[in-house]
Amino acid sequence: LYQMMNTMKHRGPDDEGYFIDDTVGLAMVRLSIIDLSQAGHQPMFSSDGRYCIVFNGEVYNYIELRETLKRKYIFKSETDTEVVLYSYIEWGEQCLAKFNGMFAFTIYDTATKSLFGARDRFGIKPFYFHKSSHQFIFASDIPPLLKVMPGKPTVNDAAVMNYLMLNRTNYSEETFFKEIIKLSPGSFFTLNNLVFKVKRWYDLRVSSSGKSFKSSEEYYNSLKKSVQLQLRSDVPVGICLSGGLDSSAIASIILKEYPHTEFHSYSAVYNPGDKADEQEFIKEYEGTQLKMHYTSPNHEGLLDDLDQYIEMLSEPVPGTSEYAEFKVMQLAQQHSTVILNGQGADEVLGGYEYFYGAYLKELLFKFKIRKLIHEVNSLKKHHTLKKSLKYLLFFMLPSRLKMIMLKDRRHLINKHFYKQNCSYSLKLIKQLYNFPTLKDYFFNHFAYKFEHHLLWADKSGMRFSVETRFPFLDHNLIESTLDCAPDMILKNGWTKHILREAMTGVLPEKIRTRKSKIGFETPEHDWIRQAHYVKFIKEIFQSASFKNRKYFNQDNIKALYQKHLDGTVNEANTIWKIIHLELWFRKYID
């Protein structure tokens, strides 16, 4: 337990504790957010000493639940942890549906020698575990498990295949390590008399029925309520401000609702003119009560931080955008312990171009020709028609043809490895891209394509002892948004229609009506053309480990990198994906 705690002390620098009962041991490193006193120490026990909890996350409606529970239970702290514990004692597994928040926790019953553990609806807080016939080990991160697991970890070839072929990670309960899996979002487990069972407690497809917003005003009030709930904290709260519509909406709501309160914002900026730079939008907030802070991630910094960055993520990522988030969290650590993040809006408000392709498919298949023509013309005016039509055609192809269309990725993979493992990618393509309606595609996105954003944000924040919260992921807001008619989400060639309408007069108009979508990108195309980067990458490509790696077509990868250096293609994302995977092998597998 001490080895595991020491490995993840950055996640909880304020306190630590452990409890051992025969063959059961629970430990906790605490980042104090609510009730900073010793009353919040974990592991925490019920008043009779029977139940013991370790809890990571926040239940934002803990005050309301506490008022209900106070009629029967005596509270010794002001924490949400104690509310979670007594909620479970009072309602059993039914308590989970009452929580509004992000959480991963385990409760041990000393009387029955049984464990109960759960994870929040969307998987905001991580829960990894290793299970064998005689051992069950769990943690909020992968490195603590690697520290104490018996034997040497081995690679999960299915994860590698879908990473290389589809740029996908965290699409199921599996990880890149065969021996480590995740408790799926919206699930709980029981461990009793050596019998381990997992059950789904939350299903977004069912929960989103019949809750549609009737107006943009309703949407605004729901988002505002979520922001207000997530501002509950006994430590300073800041804002991750990218300049995009989503994080700016959160910032603008805070400025409107709390005009006399000082908040800190944190942004990644680059040289003016860089594709990834959003300073012109971020500067819309200059002169407000925001205390604005900036960081400028660069290629030298990435190389300097590379070892701790790879260790922090503990699984490969296809791109460098997470490095920008890493540097923003490093900056935020100076002034804030909690950060509000705009993640989640794109996934329910159609923020990516491929969602319009999905919408066009629905209109075509439902023979809504007049609306289809209108949207096509609107997209043409916005200069986004070409990409939307490309995605429409891709979505209409049979799954096997979709695989063939990805030939530019396939030629970088070792032929034998591809032949042995292509069924994994075909399965994921069927799960993700087969859908009759836009709403179904949103559901598929949440099920197979969204969790990685949350895990990366959690790892980046907790590396610097900063908790990341997501107002757009309040389940009430999500459920009502997904139940809206498609033309409340995508309309007249605009994405996020209901959010844009809701923020009229609140959000700076330059941001509210912006069409460009950047997100946490970096100028990686230029980065990997720099001389010391070229030297670093070519040394990897010439190494014996890379040459002998069974996963790559080394010749095609080298040729692609040369084309990138020549400027005939921009394939930095692909090159980084290969580099990160190779470095991950060296660190964790070799």
Side-chain angles (χ1 to χ4, degrees), residues 157 245 287 445:
D157 282 349
L245 184 61
H445 219 73

Side-chain angles (χ1 to χ4, degrees), residues 344-363 379 387-389 391-392 395 432-433 435 437-446 449-450 453 482 486 489-490 494-496 517:
D346 287 318
E347 284 68 26
V348 292
L349 293 169
Y352 301 112
E353 288 158 331
Y354 46 72
F355 284 117
Y356 240 110
Y359 185 36
L360 296 180
K361 176 186 174 183
E362 176 180 345
L363 294 176
L379 289 166
K387 284 189 175 181
S388 298
L389 289 178
Y391 285 115
L392 167 63
F395 292 147
L432 183 55
Y433 297 124
F435 55 89
T437 67
L438 175 64
K439 185 176 180 179
D440 287 304
Y441 189 38
F442 283 137
F443 288 142
N444 289 357
H445 219 73
F446 264 84
K449 203 179 178 183
F450 180 49
H453 287 303
L482 286 179
I489 308 298
L490 303 176
W494 289 96
T495 64
K496 306 179 182 178
K517 169 67 182 169

